[in-house]
Amino acid sequence: MKNTCKFLVMLWLGLFISTANAQSVVIPVNSVWKYYDRPQALASNWASIEFDDSSWALGKAQIGFGEGDEHTLIAKEHNGQPILVHYFRHKFSWDTQRALTSITLRLLVDDGARVYLNNQEVHRQFLPKASLPETQLALGSLIEHSWYEVALKGQIELKRENILAVEVRQVSTTSSDLSFNLELIIEEN
């Protein structure tokens, strides 16, 4: 009887583990990102995989300025002019034979952000729903140093080579800090 109970428990655990979805962290916390910290506007295709970001700088997250906890410091202003929008890009690969069930984005950002996956907007935080001119400021900010998590919804398709692109906007022209870090987790069958 004792062996039968052990067998049934092991069988149940085996079934539970085999039906659980596996998670892949495709962009870990503190990853290296390409970033653009200049006041000039970018081409409209800046969030696409084809965009040439070879002139952009590289930096390890947390990226930003003004808080003292950054791995990579970026420019707050250029020639005395505040930079209101900063851009970040990270390429990652995915085996398209793997079936994904969900994508979770964990984000640390100060102040507002817009996130694109393969040139498709997938998330917006503290930004208006309308299109955004370069001078548009964020509408608010989260508590400093707070991570938040969001399940990405909609028709999200991963390719063999992918790009996650994020723009971070200041809440005011005199903002004293900016923070950016991100983790992307994919759950698959």
Side-chain angles (χ1 to χ4, degrees):
M1 176 74 167
K2 195 176 193 182
N3 286 339
T4 303
C5 286
K6 282 183 181 178
F7 173 76
L8 289 175
V9 168
M10 295 301 283
L11 180 63
W12 180 80
L13 282 174
L15 288 173
F16 176 77
I17 291 169
S18 67
T19 60
N21 292 337
Q23 286 189 341
S24 298
V25 178
V26 293
I27 302 177
V29 172
N30 298 337
S31 288
V32 173
W33 290 77
K34 289 217 168 185
Y35 66 89
Y36 182 81
D37 61 348
R38 296 288 176 252
Q40 296 81 16
L42 293 174
S44 60
N45 71 334
W46 76 271
S48 73
I49 194 87
E50 294 83 17
F51 180 78
D52 179 12
D53 61 9
S54 60
S55 66
W56 289 26
L58 280 172
K60 181 179 177 182
Q62 180 168 321
I63 302 172
F65 58 83
E67 293 185 2
D69 58 355
E70 302 87 1
H71 284 284
T72 303
L73 288 172
I74 58 175
K76 175 182 178 179
E77 59 183 31
H78 183 74
N79 293 333
Q81 179 92 11
I83 300 171
L84 302 178
V85 186
H86 291 79
Y87 299 90
F88 305 92
R89 290 170 46 95
H90 186 91
K91 293 179 182 175
F92 66 94
S93 299
W94 180 254
D95 179 357
T96 56
Q97 303 300 315
R98 295 160 65 183
L100 63 95
T101 57
S102 69
I103 301 177
T104 302
L105 175 74
R106 291 189 62 240
L107 190 62
L108 182 146
V109 64
D110 180 10
D111 293 306
R114 187 161 53 164
V115 181
Y116 298 86
L117 181 57
N118 295 328
N119 209 31
Q120 173 188 353
E121 185 176 333
V122 294
H123 179 66
R124 217 179 254 227
Q125 181 71 32
F126 292 122
L127 296 174
K129 294 193 186 302
S131 63
L132 302 173
E134 291 298 312
T135 56
Q136 174 70 50
L137 296 172
L139 303 174
S141 182
L142 292 171
I143 298 169
E144 300 285 327
H145 311 289
S146 293
W147 285 86
Y148 72 94
E149 188 172 295
V150 63
L152 300 184
K153 296 182 168 95
Q155 296 284 45
I156 298 174
E157 182 182 332
L158 293 182
K159 302 170 184 171
R160 181 163 295 288
E161 295 300 319
N162 302 276
I163 185 78
L164 191 75
V166 182
E167 67 181 68
V168 175
R169 291 179 180 254
Q170 296 286 37
V171 74
S172 75
T173 58
T174 58
S175 182
S176 63
D177 59 1
L178 180 135
S179 296
F180 172 74
N181 205 340
L182 183 146
E183 181 178 40
L184 189 67
I185 304 164
I186 297 178
E187 194 169 290
E188 56 187 294
N189 289 334

